[in-house]
Amino acid sequence: MKSANWSTLIVNAQVVKENETIRDGYVAINGEGRIAAAGPMDGLDERQANTALQRVDAAGSWLLPGFIDVHVHGGYGYDFMEATKEAIDGITKFHNSQGTTTLLATTVTQSREAIEAVLRAADAYRKAGSPYARLGGVHLEGPFISPKWPGAQNPSFIVDPQADWLDAWTEEFPGLIRMMTLAPERENALPLIRRLTDQGIVASAGHTDATYDQMVEATRYGLRHAVHTFNAMTGLHHRNPGVVGAVLTEEVINAEVIADGHHVHPAAIKLLTLAKRKDNLLLITDAMSAAGLGSGEYDLGGLPVIVEDGVARLKAGNTLAGSTLTMIQALRFMVEQVGLSVEEASRLASHNPAKAIGCLEQTGTISEGKLADLLLVSPQLQIGRVWVEGHATTSE
């Protein structure tokens, strides 16, 4: 795609494209906020380059597609359950500063009224447009989960799957709900999974006591995702594979992982990378309101949380309560602790989540014609600059 004028030209970058890395490359952004061209520096047309309104010298830094976080509850003191523009602004601004260019506002198990308030606020916010990370929709985590595996979800609000709730929500907010996490072993869960699938909503397993066989059966109804793999689900045993066994062996299931070194051991994450080789492993943050802030007392879905040294736990029971992770920290962990290349880790943070929620045609890779959602990342894997739809939202 060519444009008479380029709004921004990024040069001398290690450009990570979908299937190759250009070690000394450039990316041009057109006036519509899309990628106009990408290639090696020795192929750059200087006459076209001189039309750029801004030229950014990457000086050898990585240029990556923007991160897509499909599971994030909050950040910088805000929680999506507050259901206000101020809270959504605060969360999208903070996570954008850490490299996230698209995210799903993720709820917790709460009353129907509280969940509907989030849907209403997110719908209004998405229609108005965000100056920070793009709000790609909503991820409903609960309330149709297992009381045996509540994790940091409030057990007082756990209920059996309610098809009429979903119907009311999708009628009032068409296209807003992108993912729903539920326990597939619960009564009425399988028909609800089929209903979700028919409406283009990703059906996800989480906070579940399902057996391996129940998980496999759920895939036949359309189950395609599992939240925070290894956490809040039946584990792997060689005679009872459980939810984890199904996630590892069923290619159709996309697996999330919280790569912070607290939720999952690096060896278990490496096992995931070996099992999930079909673009079906995703980095997520599962961040709560304490992300970006220090130790102290916080709240998650009405439950008191204590954060110490970056680890969030419920005040009652000491259960891990979301994380304080950011996507750039997750990418860095995968490279430094798990042993992936930058290109491999980038794919887990951008391409795979875009594919999972159905927006790969618009974003998730550095490709001509796609939205210019881009990150300049130093060789030490620190965020330099962030662009959303070609608009620089942060600068060095």
Side-chain angles (χ1 to χ4, degrees), residues 319-357:
T319 300
L320 285 168
S323 82
T324 61
L325 189 64
T326 63
M327 289 294 282
I328 187 62
Q329 290 172 335
L331 179 133
R332 199 180 302 131
F333 186 90
M334 295 299 288
V335 173
E336 297 176 354
Q337 301 299 320
V338 181
L340 298 192
S341 67
V342 171
E343 292 92 335
E344 289 169 333
S346 170
R347 197 171 185 91
L348 307 188
S350 302
H351 173 281
N352 294 2
K355 181 182 176 185
I357 63 172

Side-chain angles (χ1 to χ4, degrees), residues 81-373:
M81 295 307 297
E82 294 173 48
T84 64
K85 181 182 182 300
E86 179 186 5
I88 301 175
D89 263 342
I91 296 165
T92 56
K93 182 178 182 179
F94 168 69
H95 285 287
N96 185 225
S97 75
Q98 304 302 303
T100 298
T101 54
T102 302
L103 54 76
L104 297 187
T106 308
T107 62
V108 295
T109 295
Q110 258 288 347
S111 68
R112 178 175 178 176
E113 292 74 21
I115 293 169
E116 288 175 351
V118 177
L119 291 171
R120 199 168 294 112
D123 188 55
Y125 192 88
R126 190 170 69 150
K127 288 175 179 175
S130 171
Y132 312 113
R134 182 185 308 106
L135 188 64
V138 172
H139 173 180
L140 297 177
E141 187 180 17
F144 311 142
I145 59 174
S146 170
K148 295 182 181 179
W149 296 91
Q153 306 277 341
N154 192 329
S156 301
F157 296 103
I158 294 175
V159 294
D160 280 327
Q162 308 289 320
D164 59 323
W165 292 18
L166 177 65
D167 290 345
W169 294 338
T170 55
E171 182 178 352
E172 186 173 357
F173 309 108
L176 180 65
I177 301 170
R178 304 297 293 274
M179 184 179 295
M180 175 180 278
T181 293
L182 71 164
E185 75 278 9
R186 296 213 62 161
E187 186 177 358
N188 300 321
L190 295 181
L192 187 66
I193 289 171
R194 177 164 286 162
R195 207 182 202 101
L196 290 166
T197 303
D198 289 345
Q199 297 190 49
I201 299 170
V202 178
S204 174
H207 296 273
T208 170
D209 197 49
T211 64
Y212 172 83
D213 290 339
Q214 287 172 324
M215 282 290 290
V216 172
E217 183 183 14
T219 66
R220 300 189 186 113
Y221 284 77
L223 184 78
R224 291 294 181 267
H225 197 90
V227 296
H228 43 55
T229 304
F230 294 110
N231 300 118
M233 60 178 58
T234 53
L236 176 68
H237 185 277
H238 59 286
R239 285 190 294 272
N240 183 18
V243 173
V244 171
V247 173
L248 290 171
T249 58
E250 292 294 310
E251 285 187 3
V252 298
I253 298 178
N254 293 315
E256 296 178 0
V257 66
I258 307 172
D260 65 354
H262 306 300
H263 283 78
V264 185
H265 191 281
I269 297 179
K270 187 171 185 178
L271 175 64
L272 264 183
T273 67
L274 295 173
K276 309 302 285 186
R277 291 179 171 271
K278 303 290 187 181
D279 291 336
N280 50 8
L281 178 60
L282 291 70
L283 296 180
I284 52 112
T285 64
D286 197 15
M288 48 91 69
S289 61
L293 302 177
S295 299
E297 296 194 11
Y298 297 89
D299 176 277
L300 180 63
L303 300 177
V305 173
I306 300 290
V307 174
E308 292 182 358
D309 299 322
V311 182
R313 295 183 181 274
L314 290 182
K315 194 170 185 179
N318 208 37
T319 300
L320 285 168
S323 82
T324 61
L325 189 64
T326 63
M327 289 294 282
I328 187 62
Q329 290 172 335
L331 179 133
R332 199 180 302 131
F333 186 90
M334 295 299 288
V335 173
E336 297 176 354
Q337 301 299 320
V338 181
L340 298 192
S341 67
V342 171
E343 292 92 335
E344 289 169 333
S346 170
R347 197 171 185 91
L348 307 188
S350 302
H351 173 281
N352 294 2
K355 181 182 176 185
I357 63 172
C359 62
L360 189 56
E361 289 187 5
Q362 293 295 318
T363 188
T365 65
I366 297 178
S367 307
E368 292 184 18
K370 288 193 177 183
L371 295 171
D373 297 338

Side-chain angles (χ1 to χ4, degrees), residues 10-15 23-26 41 55-61:
I10 306 162
V11 297
N12 303 319
Q14 298 189 70
V15 182
R23 292 300 169 188
D24 185 23
Y26 74 92
M41 286 298 298
R55 190 176 182 122
V56 176
D57 187 352
S61 287

